[in-house]
Structure formats: C-alpha cells, structure tokens
Amino acid sequence: MFCTSIPRILFHGCPVKPSRPLCELDTMDVEQNPTSLCDAQTQWSDPWMEDHTYSKGPTIPCGLTLAPPPELQPAASYTLTNNADCLLYTGIPLLEFHTLVSCLQGFTPTSSAMPVADQILMTLMKLRQNFVIADLAKRFGKSHGQVSKTVKFWIDVLYKHTKDFIPWLPRETIKATPPEAFKDHFPNTTCIIDCTETVLQKARHLDSRSESYSHYYASNTLKYLVATSPSGLVMFISEAYGGKCSDRYIAQNSGFLDCLRPGDEEMADRGFTIRDLLEERKVNLVIPPFTRKQCQLTNEEVTHTRHIAHARIHIERAIRRLKVYKIISQTLPINLVPEFDKIYEFVLT
C-alpha cells in the first residue's frame, strides 16, 4: 500500500534483493487487527496471554453501575511556554518551533479543524519522545485514526520542505574548517563515513525477518550510511537497508560514491572494505590497519589506529545527536518503515 507513494524505501537483501517488493511485504506484515495482543518486538499475539483461561469465565454482577465513558472533547491549544519544554517535546528551541509553524501554515489540510501548531507539535512529539498513538490521542483529545493520519501527513510535509537542507560541502570549505584532530594527521580528509542501525519490530513474514536480521545487534534492524564532514556536519544519509546488508554493499549501492571527487580522502572503519571502489575514482581511503596474520600490530600501526579513533569520534557524536530522537533510538514499528527515510532526513535538518 506504500509502493506508489514511497519509492525511496529500499529493503535490500545482501547481495540479492528480496523475492518480493517491500510494498508487498509491508502489506502482508502490517497487523490489521487492533485488538490483538502484541508486544514491542513481534506482531502476533503473545501465547502467555491465552494461557490463563480460568479467568475468562462468565462475569458475576455485583450491583454496581458504571458511568458511560466521557465523549472526546476538543482539546485546547497545547502551548509551549519556554525553551526547556520545547526542547523536551520537540528537540528544537521555542523560537525555531514558531518559525517552523509559520513557514508551514499554508500547508494545513482544509478538512482539519485542529490548529496547525498542535498538528506540528503532535508530529514532533512522536518523533522526539516516540509517544504511542493512544497517548497522543489522549493528550490532544483526538481519535487514534485522526492522530495517525495527522502524524503521517506532516512527516511527508516536513520531509518535502527540509530535504534540501543537507548539503555536500565544497572541498575548500571542508579544508578551511578542520578540527584539531585532523590538522596534524589527516589534513586532506573530506568526509567520515559510518553505518548505524535502528532496531525494527519483528515482521510476521519470515522473508522480511531474514532480510532485516543483523548479526551485530542480534535483532531485526534497519541499516543506513551516514557521512559527515570533519567538523561533524552531516552531508549524506543513505536510504534504509535491511540489517543483513554489509557496509560495502550499502556504500556501493546507496549513491554515496557519486558524491566523491578525484583527490578526496575518506575516513572509515575496518568494515568498509571499499578501497578498490575508491581507487577507481582516485579517492584515498583511511582505515585502521589490519594485523594480516601477524600476532599484533606494530608500534607505528597502533599509534596510527589511535589517531584515526580520535578523529572518527566526530561522526560517533553526530550519530548520537540524531538518536536523541527516540523514534530512531527505540524499536521502530513495522508500519513506519515506509516513512523511515523521511523521518531520518528531517531529523538531520
């Protein structure tokens, strides 16, 4: 159901693509029964919830009458009064939140009676704190379906109007602003790359589960490549791949190599065995040395490894800043997989 509107989502197997397209897998994997009992890691009902059948007999009336549930009342505007609250719920300062609302005021759907500030706040609260739909529905006095539609609508809008805010810096700008860790030992480095993963809710279909299984995390994950400048500015983010894919496969198929120019120097971890791919483009690769059947590294190699680790910490910090948004750092629901690329690129901006 997402294949016509979300062409960017890739869920590659490595090295072979899945036997069925992602849109078909998602359609089969998304749980349609809202009353089923599911945990955070799987989509089918928990057997232990069905074990205690002795508690499911006929109820005994006790003469008490329960008041009918109150009707949902339209909520007042969910106001933010200071930077601390705004950073807590949205991840951005209060002034930037008001600026964002004013810029997106004209994209509000005409069928919605909810204030645009509340709609954007609801979406950012989902991204920043990963509140469940039921929690957001209660906070804003809306139905579950309306909250879900509002969040997905504004994710599309936010992505569309912020996707161009991730620039690949010119080589001259990168060399003019290197941190101290690069000045002495890696003055020609133009970018640092690394792959990171987000834990994914287990799919019901075994093919989908196999495509997304990561041996490193021992869980189902989505994997993506991030490239930053030496100063820590994110310059590239790949599409989401299954956790089964290798670092080399993602670097080769994500379009990252097309951003490099002859004479660039790239820093990476040992998992990126892409030296041959970079040599074709006349790009130098800086990675920690391997032992190569030796008992241990030489003193020079140990020193070189320490210098690389000291420099690569910048991309680790950049990824850590992104994972402040709990929608990325916590288990991602399977129904948000088609929106994940959009979520991640918006968070980067």
Side-chain angles (χ1 to χ4, degrees):
M1 58 183 173
F2 297 102
C3 58
T4 57
S5 58
I6 315 291
R8 285 176 48 81
I9 294 295
L10 297 178
F11 204 75
H12 296 284
C14 179
V16 182
K17 294 184 178 179
S19 57
R20 293 183 293 117
L22 175 62
C23 57
E24 184 179 345
L25 298 180
D26 287 337
T27 304
M28 297 183 61
D29 294 335
V30 175
E31 183 63 51
Q32 299 295 334
N33 183 9
T35 61
S36 63
L37 301 173
C38 303
D39 62 11
Q41 291 294 330
T42 187
Q43 289 183 285
W44 46 58
S45 59
D46 295 330
W48 67 269
M49 296 295 291
E50 303 294 335
D51 289 343
H52 305 288
T53 56
Y54 56 79
S55 63
K56 296 185 178 181
T59 57
I60 302 175
C62 57
L64 296 178
T65 57
L66 300 178
E71 298 291 336
L72 288 177
Q73 300 295 331
S77 180
Y78 205 91
T79 57
L80 298 174
T81 58
N82 53 64
N83 275 332
D85 290 345
C86 194
L87 288 170
L88 174 65
Y89 289 112
T90 69
I92 59 177
L94 185 60
L95 179 60
E96 293 184 9
F97 174 76
H98 289 311
T99 303
L100 183 65
V101 172
S102 62
C103 292
L104 299 178
Q105 190 80 34
F107 300 97
T108 311
T110 56
S111 59
S112 177
M114 190 177 182
V116 61
D118 286 2
Q119 296 183 46
I120 297 177
L121 176 59
M122 178 192 299
T123 304
L124 295 181
M125 289 172 68
K126 176 62 178 175
L127 301 182
R128 177 65 175 84
Q129 294 295 342
N130 199 20
F131 291 132
V132 295
I133 297 298
D135 187 3
L136 292 174
K138 185 175 182 180
R139 288 172 183 265
F140 290 88
K142 303 296 180 182
S143 66
H144 293 191
Q146 185 176 358
V147 171
S148 181
K149 291 179 181 179
T150 300
V151 169
K152 288 186 177 181
F153 171 81
W154 283 107
I155 286 176
D156 292 340
V157 173
L158 291 171
Y159 163 76
K160 180 180 179 181
H161 294 279
T162 58
K163 64 180 179 179
D164 296 328
F165 293 168
I166 305 177
W168 187 273
L169 298 179
R171 186 187 302 173
E172 296 74 17
T173 303
I174 295 174
K175 290 187 176 182
T177 57
E180 292 296 331
F182 288 85
K183 287 183 178 179
D184 298 332
H185 304 287
F186 311 104
N188 298 321
T189 299
T190 54
C191 68
I192 319 169
I193 64 172
D194 196 10
C195 281
T196 185
E197 301 181 51
T198 293
V199 177
L200 179 65
Q201 183 184 16
K202 288 182 181 178
R204 184 176 55 183
H205 198 279
L206 295 181
D207 288 343
S208 298
R209 188 179 297 188
S210 174
E211 295 293 336
S212 62
Y213 186 78
S214 170
H215 289 280
Y216 183 80
Y217 277 80
S219 182
N220 296 86
T221 64
L222 290 180
K223 190 173 183 180
Y224 36 91
L225 183 146
V226 180
T228 68
S229 66
S231 60
L233 177 68
V234 178
M235 302 191 299
F236 178 84
I237 177 70
S238 74
E239 297 169 338
Y241 290 76
K244 182 180 179 180
C245 295
S246 66
D247 295 345
R248 176 187 173 92
Y249 181 85
I250 297 178
Q252 187 175 7
N253 293 275
S254 62
F256 164 72
L257 298 179
D258 297 333
C259 299
L260 302 176
R261 296 188 303 167
D264 285 348
E265 183 175 271
E266 173 193 333
M267 180 177 291
D269 201 1
R270 288 190 179 95
F272 288 91
T273 55
I274 57 175
R275 187 178 298 276
D276 56 329
L277 302 176
L278 297 181
E279 287 178 351
E280 296 175 358
R281 300 171 180 268
K282 299 181 180 180
V283 176
N284 187 32
L285 176 65
V286 177
I287 59 174
F290 295 88
T291 55
R292 301 187 185 281
K293 298 182 180 181
Q294 301 175 15
C295 296
Q296 60 184 7
L297 299 175
T298 64
N299 292 335
E300 292 77 11
E301 291 174 336
V302 171
T303 302
H304 185 60
T305 301
R306 289 177 178 175
H307 290 158
I308 293 177
H310 185 58
R312 285 191 70 255
I313 195 64
H314 289 78
I315 193 170
E316 301 291 345
R317 290 170 177 168
I319 293 175
R320 184 179 62 185
R321 290 196 302 269
L322 301 178
K323 291 196 173 184
V324 168
Y325 286 83
K326 294 183 180 180
I327 192 70
I328 297 175
S329 60
Q330 296 180 351
T331 302
L332 183 73
I334 199 74
N335 62 339
L336 284 181
V337 169
E339 306 290 335
F340 185 75
D341 286 344
K342 299 178 182 180
I343 292 173
Y344 209 89
E345 291 205 22
F346 168 70
V347 169
L348 284 174
T349 60

